[in-house]
Amino acid sequence: MFDNNRKHRTSDVVILSAGFGLGHLSAAQALRESLTGYAPGLRIEEADLLELLTPYLSRPLYGSYSLMVNHAAPMYNYFWERKEEDQDVMTSKAVTRLLIPALARYMSEACPRIAISTFPLSSYYLSQYKALYGADFQLVTCVTDVVCRREWLHSGTDLYLVASHDIKTQMVQRGLPENRIEVGGIPVRKAFLSPPATAKKPRSLENIDDEDFVILFMGGGLGKIPRDPGFYNWLSSLPRTSSLLLTAHNTRLRQLLNKARFSPSIKVLGYEPETAPLMRRANLLVTSAGGVTLFEAIASELPVLVYQPALGQEIENARFMEKNQLGRICHNMDELKAQIMCFLNNQSLTARHKASIRTMNSSLNRNNIGANIMELLDEPVKSAERLEQIL
């Protein structure tokens, strides 16, 4: 199905992502797993777009992103909305002309048959490269939030992977061909879809009784979970309840919470590379509504409480979750406490949300993601200019 003999080819598939949070990277890993499961001999290479385009600026850019997300959400949303008006400095003509030669050098060496993007800026630059250099690869854009936004829609894309049927409908309304859009949810890693028959119990789950109601707090790579130690002291007072606090790469938050010296029912954890067993054990997830985390919870049949969604894409993801009765939104600490008590004391509430989650799972075409991508190799490469007027 794929050509290993093409001159100068070092990769069959290139996946471009970026380290803004963990979601884009997790989706890239999930797509790699899906492709290798379908075509084991496939040569797949992953790369960070910012490391390719601006290796000396990538660290400051990631640092600025972290500061903005944690301390200046309104500013983040201002720039997010400007992208919808096609006013992003990174996609301006001057910046594109400056940066795209670096991508061209990388792509000409890898010479892939398929390029996959899990980050909107990657889709833009891959589409521009395809048009400017006449490259003949197929471009797949995996949208990692439940959104239909201009920043994701680019003329050279041959296949869109989207989270829901509503997003597909919105894309068709914007003029995109229906047969170029596949609904498979946001890709999640194999561990969430087919847990091993015999798996060692993670250390983070030790000393938790089987009868305990387990609440898992996850806020992506930046550890966006409640910061108030008093809230966790309140949690520790609840009977038969254990809480796991994943602070990820937010070392300051982890240090703050560790200083509080909570009861043993509150476990403060750092970055956990394998969260699938934690989600399978948990009874409730509290999160800021990152797209990948939300769909990991869906795959795990885990009801969700979204706490104070602040960023534009988080708000859209939370609306999708609430509309489909996968969980509830909490805008403040009092609402969060009240909802936790509702789930803790009302098993029928949990059952209703789990039923909605199972309905959502049955509507997603997850198992065919690898096949859908590989089918592109049998099709002619679409011109990168054909959708320019539509978008």
Side-chain angles (χ1 to χ4, degrees):
M1 181 176 291
F2 53 89
D3 177 16
N4 280 322
N5 298 315
R6 180 175 175 180
K7 189 176 181 181
H8 303 310
R9 183 184 305 285
T10 64
S11 302
D12 299 300
V13 178
V14 162
I15 304 177
L16 291 189
S17 188
F20 293 103
L22 295 176
H24 304 294
L25 300 174
S26 294
Q29 293 170 8
L31 289 168
R32 172 190 277 273
E33 289 180 353
S34 182
L35 285 168
T36 53
Y38 182 79
L42 209 61
R43 294 175 299 175
I44 302 175
E45 183 174 339
E46 295 181 45
D48 182 302
L49 179 73
L50 292 192
E51 291 289 344
L52 292 178
L53 298 183
T54 59
Y56 300 108
L57 293 177
S58 60
R59 179 172 292 185
L61 286 172
Y62 284 136
S64 299
Y65 168 81
S66 178
L67 287 172
M68 191 181 301
V69 166
N70 284 316
H71 304 290
M75 181 181 296
Y76 175 94
N77 289 336
Y78 168 77
F79 289 113
W80 192 68
E81 290 297 341
R82 284 176 61 89
K83 292 177 184 178
E84 189 66 7
E85 301 169 4
D86 199 22
Q87 296 182 23
D88 182 4
V89 64
M90 293 296 291
T91 60
S92 66
K93 290 183 178 180
V95 174
T96 300
R97 284 196 297 267
L98 178 67
L99 298 183
I100 204 166
L103 178 64
R105 288 191 294 271
Y106 171 79
M107 291 294 290
S108 63
E109 180 178 341
C111 204
R113 295 285 300 279
I114 296 175
I116 302 175
S117 164
T118 64
F119 181 62
L121 200 60
S122 302
S123 297
Y124 167 78
Y125 274 94
L126 285 167
S127 181
Q128 290 294 310
Y129 167 71
K130 192 174 181 180
L132 293 172
Y133 291 80
D136 61 352
F137 60 87
Q138 303 278 6
L139 174 56
V140 179
T141 290
C142 174
V143 183
T144 55
D145 289 296
V146 194
V147 296
C148 176
R149 303 279 299 181
R150 184 185 182 95
E151 64 176 332
W152 285 102
L153 310 180
H154 298 291
S155 59
T157 298
D158 299 277
L159 176 67
Y160 289 93
L161 305 176
V162 301
S164 72
H165 293 278
D166 284 348
I167 298 303
K168 178 173 181 175
T169 298
Q170 293 176 40
M171 285 188 169
V172 171
Q173 290 172 348
R174 295 187 72 155
L176 297 173
E178 185 174 0
N179 65 345
R180 293 293 181 180
I181 309 168
E182 290 291 336
V183 179
I186 298 172
V188 299
R189 288 171 291 127
K190 188 184 302 182
F192 292 92
L193 303 175
S194 53
T198 56
K200 185 178 179 181
K201 188 176 183 178
R203 292 183 59 185
S204 52
L205 293 178
E206 293 176 355
N207 302 319
I208 293 179
D209 292 342
D210 293 340
E211 295 79 15
D212 277 6
F213 187 92
V214 177
I215 307 173
L216 177 62
F217 290 81
M218 293 178 59
L222 300 178
K224 291 179 62 183
I225 64 174
R227 300 178 59 88
D228 181 10
F231 166 69
Y232 298 111
N233 282 322
W234 172 81
L235 274 181
S236 67
S237 71
L238 302 179
R240 309 301 300 174
T241 302
S242 294
S243 299
L244 304 175
L245 319 184
L246 272 61
T247 59
H249 300 303
N250 193 333
T251 55
R252 288 187 179 180
L253 178 58
R254 185 180 184 186
Q255 291 169 356
L256 171 68
L257 297 178
N258 276 327
K259 287 180 180 178
R261 299 186 182 278
F262 300 121
S263 72
S265 66
I266 306 292
K267 293 190 176 185
V268 181
L269 308 173
Y271 172 67
E272 291 284 324
E274 295 301 329
T275 57
L278 306 186
M279 284 198 178
R280 284 196 296 272
R281 175 59 185 90
N283 301 95
L284 187 64
L285 172 67
V286 179
T287 182
S288 57
V292 171
T293 299
L294 178 58
F295 274 81
E296 288 173 347
I298 292 171
S300 305
E301 294 191 7
L302 178 61
V304 179
L305 292 181
V306 173
Y307 178 61
Q308 292 185 334
L311 307 184
Q313 69 272 17
E314 292 176 350
I315 294 170
E316 294 299 318
N317 294 338
R319 287 172 178 166
F320 162 81
M321 177 212 64
E322 193 170 56
K323 176 183 176 182
N324 289 280
Q325 300 180 40
L326 311 175
R328 298 182 175 185
I329 301 174
C330 305
H331 298 286
N332 54 57
M333 186 60 70
D334 289 339
E335 289 184 7
L336 179 60
K337 289 181 178 180
Q339 290 299 335
I340 288 174
M341 294 301 296
C342 285
F343 277 93
L344 183 60
N345 297 321
N346 190 344
Q347 293 184 359
S348 63
L349 176 63
T350 298
R352 290 198 299 272
H353 282 291
K354 281 182 173 287
S356 297
I357 293 171
R358 284 192 288 271
T359 299
M360 174 60 61
N361 274 322
S362 66
S363 72
L364 302 177
N365 189 21
R366 283 195 181 101
N367 294 330
N368 293 332
I369 289 178
N372 291 333
I373 293 173
M374 295 304 294
E375 284 175 3
L376 289 174
L377 296 184
D378 298 325
E379 302 180 14
V381 176
K382 172 171 59 65
S383 167
E385 299 176 354
R386 191 165 69 86
L387 294 179
E388 198 75 43
Q389 295 179 350
I390 296 176
L391 302 179

